[in-house]
Amino acid sequence: MKSQFIRDVSNFMMMKRYAKRTIRTYLIWIADYIRFHNYSHPTTLDSSHIEAYLTQLAVRRNLSASTQATALNALVFLYQKYLKIDVAKDLDFVNSSRPRKLPVVLTIEEMNRLLGLVSERHFLPVAMLYGSGLRLMECVRLRVKDIDFDFKCVRIWNGKGGKHRVVTLADSLIPLLQTQCERVIQITQQDCTVPDYAGVWMPHQLAKKYPSERYSPQWQYLFPAAKLSIDPESQQLRRHHIDEKQLQRAVRNAAYDANIEKSVSPHTLRHSFATHLLQRGADIRTVQEQLGHTDVKTTQIYTHVMQRGGNAVVSPLVSVTPPK
């Protein structure tokens, strides 16, 4: 749906500096909500219509609780932020009962096989997904300045929920990262010779406060795109970061070549990072901080996939003789 109303909502979110992914996601659910109610304008609908829509997401479409919650957030934004209409705080709808899936985790041996078959171009970012427990977008959005070689850590800015955190850096990746930083410096020097080059994208307030830093090597993306491109927001020539779809394909292809029959994605490497830390005796609070989880209950799910069973409990059944 590309109606004027949807375009107006999109422009409003852009003016409010919402993340591009958030804008795209919210517009999908807002458009779906309007279609569900036969293209009625949201101002003609009330809380009962929101309840009916959310209920059918759970009952008819069998969507997960997290997906249903995202749809609710989109509608709350639509009414309260954009239309300035209050939404009932006690909405009465059927919550999704679809159980949360256990995370897919690779063994250390499987992880080594996968990394050994990742293409050379994508090895370093894929290795960092596992070595530092990064989310996919956290990895591709890394800047050169975010790598601290002295303290052997990686600084994550504006992660999920807009939170910052510091994560560990694998010693084995330091030489490769140093080489990558030198490569970025060379690319930046070449880019600065291009007449229309406007420097790397920077957060809006920082771009105003430090206008010259967009040409600084420290602010460049650690994993830059192969070529310059036009920024769709500013219409200026910039070098963006590597496309996340490249890493998704790289991980999927390496898992296939390694004959790993599990469903493997970049997020699987983050799950494996957390599980392997717990297996090695790391405190669950430490793992929680590394992953950036708000609630430790989110981190506790990894105890259910450890090799020794849920919460590392060892079964009392030691040996058994099958009947003849």
Side-chain angles (χ1 to χ4, degrees):
M1 179 190 292
K2 295 184 178 180
S3 67
Q4 184 60 48
F5 178 78
I6 292 296
R7 288 195 291 268
D8 290 343
V9 176
S10 177
N11 292 334
F12 176 81
M13 296 184 75
M14 291 180 63
M15 290 178 57
K16 294 296 183 180
R17 305 300 188 190
Y18 279 76
K20 293 180 181 178
R21 286 175 173 266
T22 302
I23 295 175
R24 183 163 60 248
T25 300
Y26 277 19
L27 292 182
I28 289 173
W29 288 113
I30 292 171
D32 190 63
Y33 170 72
I34 294 173
R35 277 193 296 267
F36 176 75
H37 289 296
N38 299 316
Y39 296 92
S40 299
H41 196 281
T43 54
T44 66
L45 307 175
D46 55 27
S47 296
S48 65
H49 295 90
I50 298 177
E51 294 169 349
Y53 173 71
L54 295 174
T55 296
Q56 66 89 27
L57 292 181
V59 176
R60 296 184 181 179
R61 295 167 62 175
N62 194 32
L63 298 183
S64 68
S66 60
T67 303
Q68 188 185 45
T70 301
L72 173 60
N73 291 338
L75 297 182
V76 170
F77 158 80
L78 172 66
Y79 280 96
Q80 293 189 344
K81 301 293 185 179
Y82 182 70
L83 298 175
K84 305 298 183 183
I85 299 175
D86 290 334
V87 176
K89 296 182 179 180
D90 54 344
L91 290 173
D92 184 17
F93 59 91
V94 177
N95 289 299
S96 174
S97 59
R98 181 172 147 187
R100 182 179 181 181
K101 294 181 179 179
L102 286 174
V104 175
V105 173
L106 302 180
T107 65
I108 294 178
E109 188 272 335
E110 288 174 330
M111 194 68 247
N112 290 333
R113 277 163 45 202
L114 185 146
L115 290 176
L117 292 171
V118 175
S119 60
E120 181 179 357
R121 179 186 176 189
H122 300 115
F123 173 80
L124 184 54
V126 170
M128 290 197 66
L129 290 173
Y130 171 65
S132 298
L134 302 180
R135 298 181 177 92
L136 177 59
M137 294 310 300
E138 290 174 347
C139 181
V140 299
R141 288 171 177 165
L142 284 174
R143 313 262 183 163
V144 171
K145 67 179 183 60
D146 297 334
I147 309 299
D148 191 326
F149 293 108
D150 294 327
F151 289 93
K152 297 181 180 179
C153 65
V154 181
R155 290 180 170 82
I156 307 299
W157 304 96
N158 298 306
K160 188 174 182 180
K163 294 180 292 185
H164 311 319
R165 73 183 192 279
V166 178
V167 299
T168 187
L169 175 62
D171 289 344
S172 59
L173 295 181
I174 289 179
L176 294 175
L177 284 168
Q178 290 173 333
T179 301
Q180 179 66 16
C181 290
E182 294 173 358
R183 175 175 172 268
V184 172
I185 292 175
Q186 295 174 356
I187 292 175
T188 305
Q189 292 173 344
Q190 295 174 1
D191 289 343
C192 289
T193 64
V194 178
D196 295 332
Y197 180 61
V200 72
W201 179 88
M202 292 179 61
H204 303 282
Q205 293 303 319
L206 289 176
K208 295 178 180 179
K209 189 174 183 180
Y210 306 109
S212 63
E213 287 299 303
R214 61 182 182 271
Y215 302 105
S216 167
Q218 292 298 311
W219 269 97
Q220 305 305 308
Y221 287 113
L222 182 63
F223 303 115
K227 60 183 180 180
L228 297 172
S229 60
I230 298 297
D231 184 344
E233 184 176 332
S234 65
Q235 299 301 310
Q236 292 180 315
L237 186 66
R238 304 187 189 278
R239 187 178 294 274
H240 202 48
H241 56 65
I242 188 175
D243 191 333
E244 64 273 16
K245 293 181 180 178
Q246 293 186 31
L247 298 190
Q248 291 172 334
R249 285 194 296 267
V251 170
R252 184 170 59 249
N253 292 339
Y256 177 81
D257 294 339
N259 295 319
I260 298 174
E261 297 183 354
K262 301 173 182 177
S263 178
V264 181
S265 69
H267 212 67
T268 304
L269 277 59
R270 175 175 160 88
H271 292 325
S272 302
F273 165 83
T275 304
H276 296 167
L277 281 184
L278 291 171
Q279 287 177 334
R280 293 180 180 182
D283 180 80
I284 195 168
R285 292 289 182 179
T286 300
V287 178
Q288 177 191 1
E289 292 177 359
Q290 289 287 308
L291 296 178
H293 289 163
T294 302
D295 193 337
V296 72
K297 291 181 180 179
T298 308
T299 315
Q300 286 175 339
I301 193 172
Y302 296 108
T303 64
H304 298 294
V305 294
M306 292 172 64
Q307 291 180 351
R308 295 183 63 188
N311 297 319
V313 175
V314 179
S315 172
L317 181 60
V318 179
S319 61
V320 64
T321 302
K324 297 181 179 179

